[in-house]
Amino acid sequence: MLARAAQLGRVPALIRQNLAFVLLLAIGIAAAIATYELRGAAAFRHAMESAGETFVFILPSLVGGLLLAGALKQLVPAGALAKWMGAEAGLRGLVIATLAGMATPGGPMAAFPLVLVLAQAGADRGALVAFIFAWSLNGFQRLLIYEVPLLGTEFAMMRVLLTLPMPILAGWLSRLIPIRWQPPK
Amino acid sequence: MTATQGLLWLMALIALGFCLKRSASTAIRAGRDGAHSLMRVLPLFTVALPMAAFLAELVPADIAEGWLGPESGLQGILIASVAGGFIPGGPFVSFPLVLTFTKAGAGVPQMAALVTGWAIYGVHRVIAWEVPVLGWRFVAIRMLAGLVLPVLTGLGVAWVLPWFPGALVRP
């Protein structure tokens, strides 16, 4: 199977994915040892419990988001979004991508598969950057569920008003950056 | 299940319904694609979540006042922007941390920079998602395009704060 993967040129992708796993595991083990040594056994248990609770909490989002992404991949035909979010769509493409990003619910497990769908369907780098920034900065769902209850309406409103045009600005900037990039197959 | 999760599932079921309307095999392909992605991300989650929880135990709360206080100015905004990028985990980690820092004496512009740094640099998200999905080159482009935004947000908040006197008032 590995030989076949190598034939398809997918070994770099496999290495990159496992690199992420190994990195996270290494930082996690170091942090676990440090927690036990510096904060004691109770803090260690507390961390394990909160990790377990978080896992149970996000599992429904994870499965729902991946199912949504899987379905959208079947429904959105390649190139359908190109006329909306392609480089030739100019500023309008950036505005549409920004609105779509803010409307995208869920964590990275939901958003990044969607980004992949958009990239494969013809969205340009500016639209992808605008989409990711709009989702991570001002995703309406995170705003309503976490920021407003925890930090208050006034802080959330002030921050959102200030950062609202930033995804468009960054998307426009990214079109000027001279790094070559091809959307993944 | 929360309301948002319900909404996400509703959207997923509607999209699956559209697949089914097209043909049964389209719906099966969609489900298989979702399951395939799940198998790919579950191992990452089983290591990422304990990592985030242990790091949260290690962050000392009393560094807030000196490094991130209202008097820390531009330097505090810079520190907060970078620190925000290294906050692991989702909003369930970052926003409670902002609350902890605020109670410990951090300033409002610094905390806005922290949230923006977390949203834009988000190192753990880059490693776990963006690199595997889009590649290093894309990450480099996106980082360059957004490099100054957290600092800009902090400075902007410092500027407009007089019009938002109730923002992050210490309890």
Side-chain angles (χ1 to χ4, degrees):
Chain A
M1 201 188 137
L2 204 68
R4 211 176 120 230
Q7 267 176 1
L8 294 169
R10 289 192 57 199
V11 161
L14 283 173
I15 290 172
R16 281 205 299 271
Q17 271 172 29
N18 292 332
L19 184 71
F21 181 85
V22 170
L23 257 166
L24 288 170
L25 188 66
I27 298 170
I29 290 172
I33 293 169
T35 301
Y36 193 86
E37 292 295 324
L38 299 173
R39 302 278 189 269
F44 185 89
R45 261 199 311 279
H46 178 258
M48 284 308 281
E49 276 166 21
S50 91
E53 278 166 23
T54 309
F55 186 76
V56 172
F57 176 74
I58 63 162
L59 199 59
S61 310
L62 186 67
V63 177
L66 291 174
L67 210 55
L68 176 64
L72 285 178
K73 262 188 219 168
Q74 307 299 321
L75 291 172
V76 180
L81 280 163
K83 63 174 181 287
W84 298 101
M85 293 192 195
E88 63 281 1
L91 188 66
R92 199 191 54 183
L94 298 180
V95 173
I96 292 171
T98 299
L99 292 175
M102 287 178 69
T104 299
M109 65 296 252
F112 278 101
L114 265 177
V115 170
L116 189 61
V117 173
L118 291 175
Q120 288 168 344
D124 85 310
R125 59 164 74 176
L128 297 177
V129 166
F131 180 92
I132 294 174
F133 278 170
W135 162 79
S136 69
L137 266 175
N138 294 323
F140 83 103
Q141 176 226 38
R142 197 207 63 212
L143 211 65
L144 291 181
I145 294 182
Y146 291 98
E147 191 165 358
V148 169
L150 279 170
L151 304 181
T153 314
E154 206 160 328
F155 177 79
M157 248 173 59
M158 173 179 71
R159 201 191 57 74
V160 170
L161 283 175
L162 265 170
T163 56
L164 211 53
M166 286 182 177
I168 298 171
L169 184 77
W172 174 76
L173 263 175
S174 74
R175 286 177 176 164
L176 306 177
I177 292 171
I179 295 177
R180 277 176 45 213
W181 173 75
Q182 292 291 322
K185 293 288 176 293
Chain B
M1 190 180 271
T2 65
T4 328
Q5 290 172 343
L7 184 72
L8 193 63
W9 270 93
L10 187 69
M11 285 166 66
L13 290 178
I14 290 171
L16 272 177
F18 276 112
C19 287
L20 203 61
K21 218 176 113 186
R22 202 170 281 181
S23 75
S25 64
T26 310
I28 291 169
R29 265 206 308 279
R32 199 174 284 162
D33 186 274
H36 182 77
S37 310
L38 189 66
M39 287 305 112
R40 215 181 47 203
V41 301
L42 268 184
L44 287 173
F45 268 82
T46 51
V47 289
L49 290 178
M51 179 199 78
F54 285 122
L55 286 181
E57 295 289 337
L58 291 170
V59 173
D62 54 341
I63 60 163
E65 176 94 56
W67 287 22
L68 303 171
E71 309 301 317
S72 63
L74 179 63
Q75 197 188 334
I77 289 173
L78 281 168
I79 292 171
S81 300
V82 176
F86 287 96
I87 296 176
F92 37 82
V93 175
S94 59
F95 288 107
L97 263 181
V98 169
L99 206 61
T100 312
F101 285 151
T102 304
K103 281 178 185 162
V108 181
Q110 286 75 19
M111 288 303 95
L114 189 90
V115 172
T116 315
W118 166 76
I120 287 193
Y121 304 146
V123 172
H124 77 288
R125 206 172 47 218
V126 168
I127 296 171
W129 292 96
E130 201 171 0
V131 171
V133 173
L134 298 167
W136 283 108
R137 282 168 174 267
F138 182 84
V139 174
I141 293 168
R142 190 184 64 80
M143 284 294 185
L144 279 174
L147 203 59
V148 297
L149 295 185
V151 177
L152 217 59
T153 306
L155 293 175
V157 164
W159 179 54
V160 301
L161 199 55
W163 289 284
F164 294 90
L168 276 187
V169 174
R170 253 170 262 173

